[in-house]
Amino acid sequence: MLGTWESDPLGEGEFPTIPSFCYMEKAVISHVGQPMLNFTFCASNPETGKPLHRECGFIRVKPGTSQVAFICAQNIGVVEVEEGEVQGEQLTLTSHSLSRMSFAKEPYVQQISRTFRLTPEGKLEQTVSMATSTQAMAPHLRVTYKKVTS
Ligand code: HEM
C-alpha cells in the first residue's frame, strides 16, 4: 500500500439519501521507520479542485497476526478506530469505536466498513459503506487508485 496514489478513474459516491457524485482523491501512504503506516486521503471536486473530505491516521498490525487496526481522523469532525484482517491482497475493516464533535452535522455516521484491495494490475481499490442515524448500512464510496510515486 506504500506510495502516492490518485483515483483513476474518478471515485464514485452514493448513498440512499443523497444524489450520486464523482470525486478525485489523492492517497499518500508512508512510514517513518516505525512499525505502522501513516496515511492521508484527500478528496476534491474533479472539476474545480475544491478540497472536500479529508482523512488522516495510522494503520497498525498486531505483531505476529493478520489483525489490523485503522486509526482515522476525518475533517467532518469524526474520529474512529476500525479493526479487521488482511486476507491475501484484501484488508477488510469495521469500526468498533467512533466519536464526533458536539456540533457535527446530522445525520450522524454510526458505523463504517471499508475494504482495501491490491489488484493483480498493481492498482489499489477502496470501498466504504456506512450506517447513519437515518439509514442502515449502505455503500457510500468506491474508488480505484493508480500509483503515481512509490
Ligand atoms: C454525505 C459520511 C467520505 C462526499 C455524507 C453523509 C455522511 C457522510 C454521514 C450524509 C449522508 C446523508 O445526508 O444521509 C462520510 C464518511 C466518510 C465519507 C464517514 C469516510 C469514511 C466521503 C468522501 C467524499 C464524500 C471521500 C468525497 C468527496 C460526500 C458527499 C455527500 C456526502 C458529496 C453529500 C453532500 C453532503 O451532505 O455533504 N457523507 N463521508 N464523503 N459525502 Fe461523505
Side-chain angles (χ1 to χ4, degrees):
M1 294 174 79
L2 279 172
T4 299
W5 305 80
E6 277 178 10
S7 50
D8 182 13
L10 291 175
E12 293 175 4
E14 61 177 321
F15 202 59
T17 48
I18 61 171
S20 302
F21 60 93
C22 288
Y23 65 101
M24 151 73 191
E25 192 165 56
K26 183 173 175 179
V28 179
I29 303 174
S30 63
H31 73 87
V32 292
Q34 295 176 316
M36 69 192 74
L37 299 178
N38 305 334
F39 69 82
T40 57
F41 291 105
C42 298
S44 57
N45 181 308
E47 278 147 33
T48 63
K50 185 183 162 202
L52 296 169
H53 192 270
R54 296 169 81 89
E55 304 175 298
C56 60
F58 307 93
I59 299 171
R60 299 188 58 130
V61 178
K62 184 175 177 184
T65 73
S66 54
Q67 203 180 321
V68 175
F70 181 93
I71 302 120
C72 179
Q74 307 188 9
N75 66 343
I76 57 173
V78 167
V79 294
E80 44 137 1
V81 178
E82 298 174 28
E83 288 194 11
E85 219 186 345
V86 185
Q87 282 172 318
E89 300 300 299
Q90 179 156 324
L91 172 58
T92 306
L93 298 156
T94 304
S95 58
H96 77 89
S97 64
L98 193 154
S99 185
R100 73 182 57 79
M101 60 187 190
S102 60
F103 50 96
K105 211 171 84 177
E106 288 187 69
Y108 299 142
V109 60
Q110 288 182 325
Q111 198 177 5
I112 300 172
S113 291
R114 51 179 114 201
T115 61
F116 291 95
R117 189 173 81 91
L118 281 170
T119 71
E121 301 78 40
K123 290 196 159 191
L124 179 65
E125 293 174 351
Q126 182 180 193
T127 64
V128 175
S129 296
M130 65 179 176
T132 69
S133 44
T134 59
Q135 172 63 48
M137 186 64 85
H140 187 33
L141 308 166
R142 172 174 298 275
V143 57
T144 301
Y145 309 94
K146 187 174 155 185
K147 192 175 259 197
V148 292
T149 56
S150 47

